[in-house]
Amino acid sequence: MKTFIKKIWEKGEYSYGAAYGFEPNIHAYIHDDGKRDCLLVAPGGGYCMCVPQEAEIVANSFYDKGLNVFVLAYTTDITMSVPLKRQPLQDIARAVRFIRAAGDEYSLTGKLFVCGFSAGAHVCGSLAVHHDDVTEKNAKYSEFSCRPDGAILCYPVITTGRYAHASSVEALLGKSPSEEELAYFSLEKNVSGNTPPCFLWQTATDDLVPVENSYLFAGALKEKGIPFAHYVFPKGFHGLSVATEDFFRGNFGEPYTMEQVSLAVKSVKAGRGVNVSEKRRSELMAQFPDSPDEKQKSSAPEEFFHSQADQYKDVQLWPELVVQWMKGL
């Protein structure tokens, strides 16, 4: 396996008010032999962070199934003080172009899929419906399309309406978004004939993002005649990731996607937060008494991990279902 980290924006291209020195990047997991399809993973985290339980552990799962995989650490805001607006969409659009521009170097076949979780699924879904809106000013990448060949949306944040995940919408658009902004980022309202094929999965008992989000998007895809697969598993909590024993043990891999959170929390603790309220500062001090990127693994007995994973044998099938779906496109 060849691994590396690349910043996707060049000097002077990236500016976000609450970056605290962070720059969006991709972490690669590349096979050494021959050309392969590619998967770009966008972890969730409510647009406040990119959580490690949906990063390397997912990348390794799809690498083992024969894909070249990249994990995108896109712009988030743990302070919820500077609305993200279109920055995450711009990040993933540039990441797709960046990878395609280096297709020979990265041994790509030409097919590139995006795979997002929760708010990361909203990032991927935004690209799926709004790829034509993201212009590219850098001539090195402008000839490459940012339209993915398919989008995998895992327990996705979709709507800004009745079934919205309110805190994700607030982190993205702020406390007082316009009606135009709400409509633009309510993805079920923006599916078109040029939206790529999609694969959706969620659990019926999702305790954080209502399962109606998946149904709304699937309905919009059907209405526009876009090929899609839609799986709703009967039980499971939000954030199940790959639902394996390693997941329940906390063996997520390296927590590199937490870089921006670490930088932001350190700055806030030092009194250098950007527009951070005292209330939010106190919340962050309580939430992160130590470094946010420290590994935290469960100390539960071995039997616990077996029993937890055994409950979700059906959910564990979703990566294989995705691979089979890809083969049919």
Side-chain angles (χ1 to χ4, degrees):
M1 179 193 294
K2 181 169 64 175
T3 64
F4 55 83
I5 299 175
K6 295 281 189 180
K7 294 177 181 178
I8 59 174
W9 295 105
E10 297 184 4
K11 186 176 180 179
E13 289 184 326
Y14 176 73
S15 62
Y16 169 66
Y20 300 104
F22 166 79
E23 296 180 49
N25 58 78
I26 53 173
H27 193 120
Y29 304 78
I30 305 294
H31 289 266
D32 295 320
D33 56 330
K35 293 184 177 296
R36 298 168 183 261
D37 286 346
C38 169
L39 188 69
L40 176 63
V41 177
Y47 277 119
C48 289
M49 64 184 76
C50 293
V51 296
Q53 55 264 43
E54 293 158 358
E56 186 165 272
I57 189 172
V58 175
N60 283 330
S61 176
F62 281 98
Y63 177 90
D64 290 343
K65 296 182 186 305
L67 281 79
N68 286 333
V69 188
F70 297 84
V71 175
L72 172 65
Y74 56 91
T75 308
T76 60
D77 181 20
I78 190 64
T79 72
M80 298 187 72
S81 302
V82 181
L84 296 158
K85 305 290 185 176
R86 297 195 184 195
Q87 187 61 57
L89 172 58
Q90 291 168 346
D91 289 344
I92 195 170
R94 166 55 71 86
V96 169
R97 289 183 168 119
F98 185 96
I99 294 167
R100 282 180 168 152
D104 290 338
E105 178 186 353
Y106 297 162
S107 299
L108 307 182
T109 62
K111 285 188 177 181
L112 189 155
F113 300 86
V114 294
C115 175
F117 298 79
S118 193
H122 191 269
V123 177
C124 293
S126 295
L127 184 66
V129 301
H130 292 309
H131 52 84
D132 285 335
D133 297 346
V134 189
T135 56
E136 177 56 68
K137 297 179 181 179
N138 191 321
K140 287 170 57 176
Y141 308 110
S142 59
E143 66 179 279
F144 298 96
S145 171
C146 67
R147 180 186 184 272
D149 293 289
I152 299 103
L153 309 181
C154 312
Y155 38 90
V157 172
I158 293 293
T159 187
T160 64
R162 177 182 175 186
Y163 297 107
H165 183 242
S167 62
S168 289
V169 175
E170 181 180 339
L172 183 65
L173 299 176
K175 294 182 182 296
S176 302
S178 68
E179 290 301 319
E180 290 77 13
E181 288 174 323
L182 289 170
Y184 188 84
F185 284 106
S186 201
L187 305 184
E188 79 279 9
K189 297 180 179 179
N190 293 279
V191 174
S192 73
N194 200 28
T195 298
C198 294
F199 181 109
L200 301 92
W201 76 268
Q202 196 166 5
T203 63
T205 58
D206 193 309
D207 54 340
L208 193 61
V209 175
V211 71
E212 284 83 358
N213 280 259
S214 292
Y215 283 111
L216 284 168
F217 200 68
L221 292 167
K222 182 177 181 181
E223 182 178 340
K224 294 295 183 179
I226 304 301
F228 72 97
H230 184 203
Y231 293 87
V232 178
F233 299 103
K235 66 176 182 178
F237 54 85
H238 187 80
L240 265 173
S241 184
V242 291
T244 59
E245 287 188 26
D246 271 342
F247 168 78
F248 286 105
R249 287 190 180 95
N251 294 337
F252 306 139
E254 293 302 315
Y256 52 81
T257 57
M258 293 291 284
E259 179 192 5
Q260 187 182 10
V261 173
S262 296
L263 292 168
V265 170
K266 288 176 183 176
S267 295
V268 170
K269 287 181 176 180
R272 299 192 301 270
V274 179
N275 298 330
V276 181
S277 68
E278 186 57 39
K279 178 177 181 294
R280 186 58 178 156
R281 181 177 183 274
S282 297
E283 291 172 346
L284 291 174
M285 296 284 280
Q287 184 179 359
F288 299 108
D290 301 311
S291 175
D293 57 3
E294 287 186 356
K295 293 183 180 180
Q296 297 182 359
K297 296 182 181 179
S298 174
S299 59
E302 191 70 16
E303 296 76 15
F304 172 80
F305 305 125
H306 290 302
S307 64
Q308 288 294 301
D310 281 345
Q311 293 184 54
Y312 301 110
K313 291 291 188 181
D314 54 350
V315 177
Q316 291 170 21
L317 296 173
W318 76 263
E320 182 59 34
L321 292 171
V322 164
V323 171
Q324 296 305 316
W325 170 77
M326 287 177 172
K327 291 178 179 178
L329 295 179

